Amino acid sequence: MKLSQFKFNLPEELVALYPHSVYHEIVDDKGEKHLSRMTRRDESRLMVLHRKSQTIDMFQKNKKGKPVEGQYLEFRHVLDYFDEGDTFIFNDTKVFPARLYGTKEKTDAKIEVFLLRELNREMRLWDVLVEPARKIRIGNKLFFDESGTMVAEVIDNTTSRGRTLRFLYDCPHEEFKRELFALGEAPLPRYILNQREVPHADAHDMEDFQTIFAKNEGAVTAAATGLHVSREMMKRMEIKGIHFAYITLHCGLSAFNNIEVEDLTKHKMDSEPMKIDAQACKIVNKAKQEGHRVCAVGTSVVKATETAVGTDGLLKEYDGWTSKFIFPPYDFGLADTMIANFYHSMSPLLMETAAFGGYELVMEAYNLAVKHGYKFGCYGDSLLILDD
């Protein structure tokens, strides 16, 4: 398929700048009124797509089973579509505070440094992106705190914006990481920050931009579909007899990069580290062999499981990297259901969703989402795709 087939008009106001929240007015000791925001992860909107019947659910139903116009499905209603023995696969990657702001030696120019991954623990080497890149050359030093104790030297150019930094900080590794991350902020996508009144992540974002089951540190963007899942919802799933399996794929920035070619077969995704252990395989394969549904929660889970699925349709252990790029047409080998967010125009994530749900039906769902004011992006609403 062609890149232009995934282009649609997304009004700016439909990009979610915060997770789904409720607001309360509170009065302080001085009698001044303030708005307090409380995140409600599982109350964001949900749309349900049925692949075989080619139908779409948007509204809650009354006692007679009739959709009630205007009463939109919420993410917590996902439970209504699953039964005892069904299995959800979650990505338990953990986001770290990857965006830092420093100053260049001598000129005091303000520089944004986005940490991508640690290259060498002992030498304190990091793969990073810098902005503005034109000001940063090999040999330059960057200072990240007023005391001047957190300093990094540029030792290599990797891409037009990419650099290798060596942090000049002599202490045990865990102390170094703790001090470094204390200077960072939640790595929200630029499309969120650029629309906010203050173009920085706030005090709540490090928690909001993290799934409740995040465990293995290494992601520089959230496994966003998992952000909808609340602790209360998981408890209700347990009570219903739904099983959980956890895989790890450390989400990078590749999904946010512009695709420069019209022919999608010529596009290459960046590699991302992933791991699937024996326990996850045991839980998922048992569900498949017993005829239960297997639901991949998010595009990162689909990418990981499609990397590790065997020709027998069962999940295999895996510890390595994946650069898999999924777009229509594609024959999926593992999950029979999927949950995704609503993504931006011409995004690789939209392409993967369209491959799973069918191009025409997914694009119809996207048109409905725009028409009905659904929210898009990492903090946006969600789409459940069922094989019925």
Side-chain angles (χ1 to χ4, degrees), residues 58-107:
M58 294 175 57
F59 304 112
Q60 300 178 39
K61 296 179 180 179
N62 60 23
K63 293 180 179 179
K64 296 182 180 179
K66 300 292 184 181
V68 181
E69 194 84 16
Q71 291 189 16
Y72 293 96
L73 289 168
E74 297 178 353
F75 188 80
R76 58 193 176 87
H77 293 123
V78 161
L79 273 68
D80 298 339
Y81 294 88
F82 292 89
D83 299 309
E84 181 179 354
D86 291 341
T87 294
F88 278 55
I89 310 176
F90 296 112
N91 184 358
D92 66 5
T93 187
K94 187 176 182 180
V95 177
F96 63 90
R99 182 175 280 114
L100 290 81
Y101 296 92
T103 57
K104 183 182 173 184
E105 66 174 341
K106 298 179 182 179
T107 66

Side-chain angles (χ1 to χ4, degrees), residues 40 46 112 120 172 210 215 228 242 294 308-309 356 360:
R40 290 282 191 264
L46 172 73
E112 177 184 307
N120 186 293
Q210 198 82 269
K215 178 182 178 183
H228 297 286
I242 294 172
V294 173
V309 67
F356 197 93
E360 292 183 357

Side-chain angles (χ1 to χ4, degrees), residues 40-183:
R40 290 282 191 264
R41 293 175 181 260
D42 59 13
E43 293 178 7
S44 56
R45 284 198 205 174
L46 172 73
M47 190 182 293
V48 181
L49 185 156
H50 302 265
R51 286 192 297 196
K52 288 182 181 176
S53 63
Q54 294 286 291
T55 57
I56 296 174
D57 299 339
M58 294 175 57
F59 304 112
Q60 300 178 39
K61 296 179 180 179
N62 60 23
K63 293 180 179 179
K64 296 182 180 179
K66 300 292 184 181
V68 181
E69 194 84 16
Q71 291 189 16
Y72 293 96
L73 289 168
E74 297 178 353
F75 188 80
R76 58 193 176 87
H77 293 123
V78 161
L79 273 68
D80 298 339
Y81 294 88
F82 292 89
D83 299 309
E84 181 179 354
D86 291 341
T87 294
F88 278 55
I89 310 176
F90 296 112
N91 184 358
D92 66 5
T93 187
K94 187 176 182 180
V95 177
F96 63 90
R99 182 175 280 114
L100 290 81
Y101 296 92
T103 57
K104 183 182 173 184
E105 66 174 341
K106 298 179 182 179
T107 66
D108 284 339
K110 302 298 182 184
I111 306 296
E112 177 184 307
V113 174
F114 195 98
L115 304 172
L116 295 176
R117 62 190 180 97
E118 189 173 37
L119 299 173
N120 186 293
R121 288 170 56 104
E122 289 71 29
M123 297 182 66
R124 307 284 194 264
L125 297 183
W126 279 78
D127 184 17
V128 308
L129 299 176
V130 294
E131 189 72 37
R134 67 183 183 278
K135 295 184 177 182
I136 304 301
R137 299 174 181 174
I138 294 174
N140 289 158
K141 288 184 179 178
L142 300 173
F143 295 83
F144 294 96
D145 58 1
E146 294 181 359
S147 67
T149 55
M150 186 64 73
V151 184
E153 180 182 8
V154 181
I155 64 170
D156 195 13
N157 297 328
T158 53
T159 63
S160 60
R161 293 176 56 220
R163 303 288 186 271
T164 300
L165 296 187
R166 179 173 63 218
F167 284 90
L168 310 175
Y169 199 91
D170 187 19
C171 67
H173 182 262
E174 289 307 313
E175 180 185 338
F176 161 71
K177 287 279 289 288
R178 186 168 59 250
E179 295 296 325
L180 178 65
F181 287 177
L183 297 170

Side-chain angles (χ1 to χ4, degrees), residues 309-344:
V309 67
T311 55
D312 56 0
L314 299 178
L315 192 61
K316 310 299 182 184
E317 292 182 59
Y318 190 98
D319 189 355
W321 296 74
T322 181
S323 58
K324 183 173 282 292
F325 176 35
I326 298 174
F327 59 92
Y330 183 90
D331 292 326
F332 289 87
L334 191 86
D336 49 42
T337 64
M338 171 188 183
I339 310 176
N341 275 27
F342 285 97
Y343 305 108
H344 283 71

